[in-house]
Amino acid sequence: MREALALAVSGNSRCSPNPRVGCVLVAPDGQIVGRGYHHGAGQSHAEVNAIASAGDLARGATAVVTLEPCKHTGRTGPCTKALIAAGVSQVVFAQSDPSAAAGGGSQLLTSAGIEVIGGVLADEAEFINRAWTHVQLTGRPFVTIKTAMSLDGRVAAASGGPTAITGAPARNWVGQLRSEVDAVLVGTNTVIVDNPALTARDGSGALLASQPLRVVAGKRSLPTNLRIFDPTSPGNAIQIPEHEPARILGALHDLQVQQVLVEGGPTVTSAFLEAGLVDEILWFVAPQVLGAGPVALLALPSPLAITVTGVELIGHDVLIRGAPNPAPVT
Ligand code: AOF
Ligand code: ZN
């Protein structure tokens, strides 16, 4: 399964709107005789690629796959059918497919006389597709908020305009992250004041291969000469004329966005936290004191507990990773 997980993430860092899936075929003597992974929507699934690479050796082998084999005919045919036709004797999978259309393939395999074992390293498989899984379970995109603030909690200098808060390593780290999400989102105020390009770049400033959809949320009309609307910049840029996070996420879901990186200023970030629509927090604390200027969040109506999942030093900046604690069930 570790081999299959490695295959799943070996291709594009983003497979959206499809999950990343890897598959190996293991012969009865323990040799791996086939390998495959899913390259992206519209292309053949991991199992089909593994079967093709194994040829006749697929017969009698065990298929080890990171996601329960699908039973639906979507953009491609059902993997359950392909596995049965190839004559595999056993299927071991990690994560159950939670989607309505494709899920439930294991029963079909069992009925065809194939031994099926599910749940092996399921947490790891789920983690690599956590945005996709989240969309299947909740019907809305996975929301990551990213903020960079000074030691005194400020996100800009009092003079207004863009302020460098973090150092180059942290900015490069965020550039890489942008290339791994489907969309980055800011509010109208940020885009007017800072005029960011919001593109995904590496340390040398070169554009990365995969660029996110750049989204501005809010109703204010925007000047057409903003950098995000520059026709020579890569990737699309749109305005969603909404303020409410739930409505913004509804619009993003309709655009097949599975993970959105909210890089808004205090207004947008606070609105998502207040709405309870944040799944992951990336909070940079930079070793400088700005002394004056806007603080990272507006006043919120109630306190919010955060579970910290990690703390890292990136250059000279501290990155705190976490998530808001889920609201108590009443
Ligand atoms: C698998 N193996 O490698 C993948 C699966 O209509 P499609 O072809 O784009 O199928 C997408 C759905 O199929 C996706 O939402 C998920 O439920 C499943 N993906 N299943 O057996 C694979 N990528
Ligand atoms: Zn499939």
Side-chain angles (χ1 to χ4, degrees):
M1 188 59 83
R2 295 218 174 274
E3 190 87 32
L5 285 163
L7 276 166
V9 297
S10 65
N12 200 333
S13 61
R14 195 149 61 90
C15 218
S16 181
N18 275 6
R20 295 187 287 174
V21 182
C23 176
V24 294
L25 294 177
V26 185
D29 65 0
Q31 293 290 313
I32 293 183
V33 292
R35 289 182 169 82
Y37 67 92
H38 182 51
H39 295 236
Q43 311 212 41
S44 50
H45 287 187
E47 300 89 319
V48 170
N49 290 335
I51 291 167
S53 85
D56 290 343
L57 296 175
R59 191 155 299 279
T62 294
V64 180
V65 53
T66 57
L67 182 68
E68 178 183 18
C70 69
K71 67 164 183 357
H72 77 306
T73 301
R75 284 171 273 238
T76 67
C79 289
T80 40
K81 206 169 151 190
L83 290 163
I84 295 165
V88 305
S89 61
Q90 196 187 35
V91 171
V92 178
F93 70 86
Q95 179 185 7
S96 296
D97 190 323
S99 68
S106 1
Q107 284 93 314
L108 276 180
L109 294 168
T110 310
S111 329
I114 295 174
E115 190 191 345
V116 180
I117 299 168
V120 176
L121 299 183
D123 289 352
E124 285 177 46
E126 216 171 297
F127 185 78
I128 62 174
N129 289 314
R130 67 205 163 117
W132 176 81
T133 304
H134 186 271
V135 174
Q136 310 309 313
L137 298 177
T138 66
R140 69 158 175 88
F142 184 91
V143 177
T144 298
I145 56 171
K146 177 240 129 188
T147 290
M149 67 176 201
S150 60
L151 275 190
D152 52 343
R154 302 182 196 280
V155 292
S159 54
T163 311
I165 307 285
T166 52
R171 285 201 298 278
N172 296 342
W173 191 93
V174 172
Q176 178 60 39
L177 178 64
R178 284 182 185 155
S179 79
E180 292 166 15
V181 299
D182 300 319
V184 292
L185 182 136
V186 295
T188 48
N189 196 52
T190 298
V191 89
I192 290 168
V193 174
D194 290 356
N195 195 13
L198 295 177
T199 47
R201 291 174 184 275
D202 69 13
S204 69
L207 290 163
L208 296 172
S210 171
Q211 292 290 326
L213 173 69
R214 293 164 296 158
V215 182
V216 184
K219 301 191 180 181
R220 272 164 74 181
S221 64
L222 299 174
T224 49
N225 61 355
L226 289 172
R227 288 171 73 199
I228 55 161
F229 295 133
D230 177 350
T232 63
S233 71
N236 294 325
I238 57 162
Q239 179 173 14
I240 296 179
E242 298 285 356
H243 291 137
E244 247 181 81
R247 297 177 77 97
I248 296 168
L249 293 182
L252 291 174
H253 184 63
D254 291 345
L255 293 167
Q256 291 206 314
V257 166
Q258 298 196 332
Q259 183 172 9
V260 57
L261 178 65
V262 177
E263 293 195 63
T267 309
V268 172
T269 306
S270 301
F272 273 84
L273 282 169
E274 186 176 340
L277 291 171
V278 173
D279 304 299
E280 182 183 36
I281 295 174
L282 301 174
W283 209 267
F284 282 97
V285 182
Q288 61 167 320
V289 175
L290 287 168
V295 295
L297 292 173
L298 308 182
L300 295 177
S302 48
L304 202 61
I306 309 292
T307 297
V308 172
T309 54
V311 178
E312 287 164 57
L313 195 59
I314 300 185
H316 295 298
D317 301 305
V318 178
L319 169 61
I320 303 169
R321 292 174 187 263
N325 292 346
V329 181
T330 49

